[in-house]
Amino acid sequence: MTKDITAEQIWDFLEDVKDPEVPVLTVVDLGVVREVNKQKNGRWQILITPTYSGCPAMQVIEEDIKERLQKEELEVDVKLVLSPAWTTDWLSEEGKRKLEEYGIAPPQDEVDKSVLFGDKTIVPCPLCKSKNTKMVSQFGSTACKAHYKCNDCLEPFDYFKCLK
Amino acid sequence: MTKQEALFEYLLRRADDTLILGHRLSEWCGHGPILEEDIALTNLALDLVGQATELYQYAAKVEDKGRDEDDLAFLRLEREYKNVLLVEQTNGDFGKTIVRQFLFDHFQILLYERLMESKDEQIAAIAAKSIKEVKYHLKHSSEWVIRLGDGTEESHNRVQESVTDLSRFIDELFYQDEVDELLIKEGVACDTSEFRSTYDANIKAVLDEATLSLPKEKWQLDGGRKGIHSEHLGYLLAELQYVQRTHPGMEW
Ligand SMILES: [Zn+2]
């Protein structure tokens, strides 16, 4: 437990922990790991923040982080923080690339959701890259996704929607 | 009343609103009119129950009597729930569920906008987190109000009936008493009367677009904030609490 280890190494270990709902992303790509700190008592503390309030993956993520670091014989405290609130801006560029490869359209710059009747966001199809796509529903298979359809290749696809 | 007691009560009111509405929406699971809406309504339910969890966790901490968020959600009696009457009203048809959601979302967004500025850091954090979700809810409910109101004669008449029926519960959303007064002075809560006219204008803009209107007479009901509920809440709680009452402390 008092092994000489740096915060950078811990961040590296955390790259092995996947988002249970979108397993192509690591918890670091997703931006849910906010801080890695050494506490006064010598234990490491990992701060994580939920994507959505009701996200059922948070408990699993907490367990997986502890399990991964136990392999390094590290006992850590994982703390859930709400502020500042998670945003899709924290998704890494690497994460966005992996999402698209996996068949999920990454978040696009969008108009503010509170503006009713605003312009529709163009979400390119992750499969054929066509911009001729249509939103089927703002709500999809998990809290973080919307459901789209491509008008050209006709495939349905998930869109990792913006949260700002 | 101490500040601690007022804060506990204030948090319960907020948490109960989101839990009860979240539970109502979850009743649509497997019963939505189309698959996309089945998924949408259960997504809303998940967000609301998630917000309730954050609020109950904080309420339990403020109360400091050894209860946790599950005790507060599952093990109180009907009169101890402090949600507004609107959220416990039955689902009715899809249009009624949408109108109930629409009236609530427009209130929540204005409330959270102000609570983000609360001097209480935890309330500000919960509000800042929740408002991002409520923006999606509000867009969803408002667009459906327009689609149904300005739709067929059948959809128009049915959704107009729900607007007339549920408008009785609007004033109660803005209900305030000594709990709010104490916390407004402390900079923790916000004064809901400050955004009543904005609320009225916002819902009117959507209702106009939807060719719907609020009824002229202003007969209003309240009681929820004091634990005096409509007959519907008891049945809802019977289902919500069943597992914890039958198998106390059960986890899975
Ligand atoms: Zn395509």
Side-chain angles (χ1 to χ4, degrees), chain B residues 26-167:
Chain B
S26 77
E27 293 171 4
W28 276 103
C29 188
H31 300 275
I34 49 171
L35 182 61
E36 285 74 20
E37 283 311 307
D38 201 297
I39 294 169
L41 294 174
T42 42
N43 262 286
L44 299 184
L46 184 64
D47 285 344
L48 291 172
V49 174
Q51 293 168 16
T53 309
E54 290 164 5
L55 290 159
Y56 285 132
Q57 278 168 345
Y58 185 36
K61 196 174 157 202
V62 167
E63 187 192 38
D64 197 22
K65 285 187 182 163
R67 292 204 276 185
D68 68 10
E69 67 271 25
D70 288 329
D71 296 325
L72 292 175
F74 296 114
L75 298 177
R76 283 177 297 146
L77 300 173
E78 188 208 9
R79 288 274 173 115
E80 295 170 306
Y81 282 80
K82 303 299 173 60
N83 56 281
V84 287
L85 302 177
L86 176 70
V87 297
E88 71 198 39
Q89 298 309 302
T90 51
N91 285 338
D93 58 19
F94 177 68
K96 185 180 170 192
T97 290
I98 288 296
V99 172
R100 186 184 62 200
Q101 193 66 35
F102 165 74
L103 296 174
F104 185 73
D105 292 341
H106 276 272
F107 177 80
Q108 287 297 90
I109 201 156
L110 295 171
L111 177 77
Y112 283 146
E113 247 171 41
R114 279 150 188 86
L115 290 183
M116 281 169 69
E117 311 294 327
S118 171
K119 281 187 185 159
D120 183 300
E121 279 178 19
Q122 191 62 10
I123 288 184
I126 294 171
K129 175 109 208 110
S130 305
I131 197 168
K132 298 183 181 200
E133 295 155 5
V134 174
K135 284 179 185 177
Y136 275 107
H137 302 181
L138 178 131
K139 193 172 169 74
H140 173 259
S141 62
S142 300
E143 287 179 352
W144 267 110
V145 164
I146 293 166
R147 195 162 155 190
L148 294 170
D150 194 19
T152 64
E153 195 184 336
E154 170 83 11
S155 72
H156 173 89
N157 290 343
R158 282 166 72 161
V159 80
Q160 177 61 61
E161 203 175 298
S162 297
V163 169
T164 305
D165 178 29
L166 295 174
S167 65

Side-chain angles (χ1 to χ4, degrees), chain A residues 125-130 132-133 149-155 157:
Chain A
C125 170
L127 306 162
C128 76
K129 315 298 172 204
S130 163
N132 181 18
T133 63
K149 187 185 154 186
C150 177
N151 291 328
D152 284 336
C153 75
L154 304 179
E155 286 291 328
F157 65 90

